[in-house]
Amino acid sequence: MFVFRERPDLDPDPLDGARVEVAFTDVSIDLREGPELAATLASLSATLDVDLARASQVHGDDVVTVTDAGSAVPEADALVTTRRRTALVVRVADCVPVLLADPAGGVVGAAHAGRRGVELDVVTRTVERMRALGAREVTAWVGPHICGGCYEVPEVMREDVAARVPETYAETTWGTPSLDLGAGVAAQLSAAGVAVTTVPGCTREDARLHSYRRDGAASGRFAGLVWLS
């Protein structure tokens, strides 16, 4: 069920010993919108033994603070929380899933960074919200996403995005204009003073991961999750 899962060796919350867990699911589960999503999320929640909190992602930079594990699904592209045993979920199929944590501060966050989200710098907005909740030393995991060698875009789009985030400027392996969203996200996080861990894997190239560029409308969605245990 997981292409990556770990319990990082970070300093726990000194008040209650809470530690961080991070995970990225694989193609064995499909988290795309549809009639089966609720049941799939319930199964994932039971497997991890945590509540799940997610958003209706719209390629923006809104950040929502999760205060309970209710059924409301806000329209946003990033979530933060201080709740224990509540996994924040972002769903992707080529975009960049970003998981963030400061266990000593007792805060975690998750962001969905597609092309527009990178332009809007959704990851920095997320870090700012986490710091407003008490985070100090934030670590980020930049999850599997379509790589710069595969994410072909029109030349005008590459120029426009790279004018805002120069690190995104790239070229496909076949010599056409592309964007490296992961490099852009990593640069934004570093500028915000966040330590970055990159989880390897290109969604278009790795059959263990869902990819819209590879599979089109048939593509599912995989998820990045982060929580305080």
Side-chain angles (χ1 to χ4, degrees):
M1 180 178 289
F2 301 103
V3 69
F4 177 90
R5 182 179 178 183
E6 72 170 9
R7 192 178 192 188
D9 185 21
L10 299 176
D11 291 334
D13 185 330
L15 297 177
D16 63 9
R19 298 193 67 89
V20 169
E21 299 202 38
V22 299
F24 295 94
T25 63
D26 60 21
V27 293
S28 65
I29 60 173
D30 181 2
L31 293 164
R32 78 180 105 179
E33 291 290 343
E36 298 180 356
L37 178 58
T40 305
L41 287 169
S43 176
L44 182 58
S45 175
T47 297
L48 298 174
D49 192 27
V50 293
D51 295 326
L52 301 183
R54 69 182 183 95
S56 177
Q57 299 166 188
V58 293
H59 293 277
D61 65 347
D62 285 343
V63 183
V64 169
T65 301
V66 176
T67 57
D68 59 52
S71 59
V73 180
E75 189 173 276
D77 283 271
L79 301 170
V80 299
T81 194
T82 59
R83 282 178 56 89
R84 304 298 187 261
R85 297 174 59 80
T86 299
L88 304 180
V89 181
V90 288
R91 299 175 301 128
V92 295
D94 283 326
C95 295
V96 187
V98 185
L99 308 179
L100 305 110
D102 177 6
V107 188
V108 293
H112 161 249
R115 175 184 59 82
R116 185 60 178 151
V118 172
E119 288 183 285
L120 294 171
D121 200 358
V122 64
V123 293
T124 300
R125 304 289 83 75
T126 310
V127 173
E128 291 170 345
R129 181 68 64 87
M130 291 176 66
R131 287 177 174 154
L133 292 174
R136 295 177 298 278
E137 298 295 327
V138 180
T139 297
W141 291 262
V142 176
H145 56 277
I146 192 166
C147 72
C150 289
Y151 185 32
E152 183 177 36
V153 299
E155 175 64 32
V156 172
M157 181 180 291
R158 177 172 70 172
E159 296 294 334
D160 188 44
V161 177
R164 295 175 173 83
V165 189
E167 294 82 1
T168 61
Y169 190 96
E171 185 175 278
T172 64
T173 56
W174 52 94
T176 57
S178 72
L179 290 170
D180 189 336
L181 298 182
V185 165
Q188 291 169 333
L189 290 167
S190 294
V194 175
V196 178
T197 295
T198 299
V199 179
C202 169
T203 48
R204 184 175 179 269
E205 297 173 338
D206 192 336
R208 298 174 301 166
L209 300 163
H210 293 292
S211 169
Y212 186 83
R213 278 295 180 106
R214 183 187 65 228
D215 301 326
S219 172
R221 300 292 185 272
F222 71 95
L225 306 99
V226 59
W227 67 99
L228 292 163
S229 61

